Amino acid sequence: MQSKRISFKTSTLSWKKVQMMVAVAGSLIALSGCAATGSSLLSGNSDDTNADPRLTQGSEAKFFSRSGYQACAAGAATGLIGCALTNPGNKTQCMIVAGLGACGVAMGANFYLDQRRSEYANTSERLDAMSADIQEDTRHVIARTETAQAVMQEDKSRLQRIQQEMETQQLDQEAAKSELAAIDSNIEILRRDLVNMNKKSEEYQAVAAAEQGEASAEEMARIEQDIDVMNQQVLTLQQEVDDLYNMRSAITLG
């Protein structure tokens, strides 16, 4: 009877650890959804099925999207649960590696910085790694912007045509409603992407601030320049999305 009681306690403790990790994982998934929320825009419809496939398909479409952040959190969650089940010698380190491996800076500035510090004791090496990460994320922003620009140019042409048809009273109401719903979906997706792009930038800035005391002025200037380049790319996309939104807002069907 005594051995059974000991076995039960051990099992209970292990289960509590798993429950704790599941709770953490659930929080990550919830946070990823919060980080990527966006308004339903003009149509009041958050369904992406009407959107241009170029904005919903492919690796770049997932990188800054809500589904991409949820997948990131799910991947981190799997790693965190694995840390509990495999019972490694250093659970904290295992959790950090799992989080950063799945999400990078999207996991949060503290996780990101802790992992980089575990990999590199030297501040210069950490900042080199961070610079490479920022530049890689900037390349993703540029690629996403190029795709978005092509889609938005077509959407602007559609809006101009609809406006002209309204003025000449040649508008097909049902066809126009369908086109506007598609444009609304495109804008909503891009606005969601922008939320996540800005979130990444904010996290990088938080990491840079945490490293400032140990880094040289030259190193900090380089990191700040990297972040600024990323922000400029995000701002370019923001301005173009705003222009499209303003054009769309000017059209109201009777």
Side-chain angles (χ1 to χ4, degrees):
M1 291 296 291
Q2 185 178 9
S3 62
K4 288 183 179 180
R5 285 196 296 270
I6 293 173
S7 175
F8 175 76
K9 289 179 180 178
T10 302
S11 176
T12 301
L13 288 174
S14 298
W15 176 240
K16 285 182 178 178
K17 291 176 183 177
V18 173
Q19 286 179 313
M20 178 186 71
M21 301 309 294
V22 170
V24 172
S27 298
L28 287 171
I29 294 174
L31 286 172
S32 72
C34 293
T37 55
S39 67
S40 59
L41 243 61
L42 306 171
S43 65
N45 181 9
S46 60
D47 186 2
D48 291 345
T49 56
N50 292 327
D52 191 297
R54 288 170 291 181
L55 297 181
T56 60
Q57 298 174 9
S59 59
E60 293 301 336
K62 299 297 182 184
F63 193 78
F64 292 107
S65 69
R66 177 166 56 194
S67 59
Y69 264 53
Q70 288 171 337
C72 149
T78 301
L80 294 176
I81 294 171
C83 290
L85 294 177
T86 57
N87 192 28
N90 190 340
K91 285 188 175 64
T92 301
Q93 180 67 13
C94 177
M95 291 167 61
I96 294 170
V97 171
L100 186 63
C103 305
V105 75
M107 187 73 175
N110 290 335
F111 273 88
Y112 180 88
L113 183 57
D114 285 346
Q115 172 57 16
R116 286 292 177 244
R117 284 177 173 171
S118 74
E119 293 175 326
Y120 308 104
N122 184 285
T123 303
S124 296
E125 292 178 348
R126 289 199 301 273
L127 293 178
D128 284 342
M130 180 176 169
S131 177
D133 289 342
I134 297 170
Q135 291 176 29
E136 178 63 20
D137 279 349
T138 300
R139 284 190 284 271
H140 284 290
V141 173
I142 293 171
R144 186 61 166 166
T145 299
E146 290 174 351
T147 299
Q149 286 172 332
V151 173
M152 288 190 289
Q153 186 57 47
E154 293 178 12
D155 284 348
K156 288 178 181 179
S157 297
R158 295 160 78 182
L159 290 170
Q160 289 172 346
R161 175 178 49 77
I162 290 172
Q163 187 67 49
Q164 291 171 354
E165 291 175 353
M166 290 175 67
E167 292 171 357
T168 58
Q169 298 183 344
Q170 296 177 334
L171 183 68
D172 182 328
Q173 287 275 343
E174 292 304 314
K177 285 181 182 179
S178 178
E179 287 192 271
L180 292 177
I183 294 171
D184 287 348
S185 294
N186 292 342
I187 296 173
E188 182 175 358
I189 288 173
L190 292 172
R191 283 194 158 181
R192 237 161 37 205
D193 288 353
L194 284 163
V195 169
N196 291 325
M197 290 175 184
N198 283 309
K199 178 65 174 175
K200 282 202 170 212
S201 175
E202 290 169 4
E203 297 292 359
Y204 280 127
Q205 292 173 43
V207 176
E211 292 279 32
Q212 189 168 10
E214 301 179 20
S216 68
E218 292 78 9
E219 289 170 333
M220 289 307 304
R222 176 166 57 90
I223 290 296
E224 289 169 2
Q225 182 179 14
D226 288 336
I227 295 174
D228 186 59
V229 170
M230 181 178 182
N231 285 339
Q232 288 298 320
Q233 293 295 331
V234 174
L235 180 60
T236 296
L237 179 58
Q238 178 72 67
Q239 291 171 338
E240 298 201 35
V241 173
D242 287 346
D243 288 344
L244 178 60
Y245 176 81
N246 290 334
M247 284 187 66
R248 167 61 183 95
S249 300
I251 296 178
T252 303
L253 300 181

